[in-house]
Amino acid sequence: MTEPDVERVLLSRERIETRVCELAGEIAAVYGDGEIVAVGVLTGAFVFLADLVRHLPNRVRFSFLKADSYATGTYPGALSVTLVGETDLSGRDVLVVEDILDTGRTLEGILGILRRRGPRTLRTVVLLDKVSRREVAISADFVGFPVPDAFLVGYGLDHAQRYRNLPYVGVLRSEAAGKSS
Ligand code: XMP
Ligand code: MG
């Protein structure tokens, strides 16, 4: 079933399930049997994170972060990051879990801030990568799917806080993208 505001399904529930399971295998191959601190970027990453970690054989501690950027005029502004859960990242193997990499500015800011906490390793996994939109030189260590430049909803991604619980990733109709409620 699709929502009226969803133009088409880009990634079905089944494709996502298969790829998330594969991603967990790729991650486990890198970390061996070491403990990971998974840092989920709120809010969009919560669905992906929950599915991914249940396929990981490693011991996992959890932290969540909320990133807020203080835009001043046209300047993107400083990023402030609030961490909850496991906040001691010093000497730990930290894996940032994000829903989508777009311009790359958010992830770049987050990594800069987390690096100051002295993790032993700092890696990133994103479900979706809008490769063509990149504005800073950054790539994720693990990528679920490269995706086209369209407004995507579902599987954690929202439009005006809706659609996060759709089990698939869909393309939002452009008429709907302009609406805010
Ligand atoms: P940057 O540009 O800093 O932004 O890489 C990444 C953040 O932008 C949001 N984003 C989206 N959210 N559908 C969404 O629901 C999209 O198609 C989309 N593209 C980018 C997202 O919050 C991500 O963390
Ligand atoms: Mg996000």
Side-chain angles (χ1 to χ4, degrees):
M1 193 202 76
T2 57
E3 292 283 334
D5 282 346
V6 174
E7 186 178 285
R8 68 191 168 95
V9 174
L10 182 71
L11 301 167
S12 68
R13 179 203 283 260
E14 294 75 21
R15 273 190 77 193
I16 296 172
E17 267 172 21
T18 304
R19 185 66 189 123
V20 168
C21 186
E22 282 172 9
L23 268 179
E26 292 170 25
I27 292 167
V30 168
Y31 288 96
D33 54 12
E35 185 173 80
I36 300 171
V37 181
V39 178
V41 182
L42 294 173
T43 304
F46 81 102
V47 178
F48 175 42
L49 177 86
D51 283 348
L52 180 73
V53 296
R54 281 178 288 172
H55 291 290
L56 282 177
N58 306 68
R59 289 165 83 174
V60 184
R61 291 171 181 254
F62 293 92
S63 181
F64 292 88
L65 70 77
K66 187 83 195 149
D68 294 296
S69 86
Y70 296 102
T72 46
T74 52
Y75 182 67
L79 197 73
S80 107
V81 162
T82 312
L83 262 186
V84 295
E86 174 64 80
T87 55
D88 178 14
L89 306 184
S90 169
R92 299 195 184 278
D93 292 310
V94 174
L95 178 65
V96 177
V97 184
E98 173 66 305
D99 51 3
I100 185 164
L101 189 51
D102 190 320
T103 65
R105 295 192 183 279
T106 308
L107 195 58
E108 184 187 51
I110 288 170
L111 293 178
I113 289 168
L114 294 184
R115 218 168 268 128
R116 284 185 235 142
R117 291 179 177 247
R120 193 166 80 92
T121 61
L122 183 59
R123 293 189 180 92
T124 52
V125 56
V126 297
L127 179 73
L128 310 173
D129 187 353
K130 277 189 188 172
V131 189
S132 68
R133 294 255 310 159
R134 202 74 88 254
E135 291 174 11
V136 292
I138 192 170
S139 57
D141 296 282
F142 308 95
V143 175
F145 301 93
V147 289
D149 179 16
F151 199 91
L152 305 176
V153 293
Y155 200 72
L157 296 160
D158 73 307
H159 174 251
Q161 300 302 332
R162 291 208 186 102
Y163 308 120
R164 292 193 194 275
N165 59 318
L166 297 179
Y168 55 85
V169 171
V171 176
L172 194 73
R173 284 187 199 287
S174 49
E175 311 88 83
K179 291 190 282 178
S180 62
S181 61

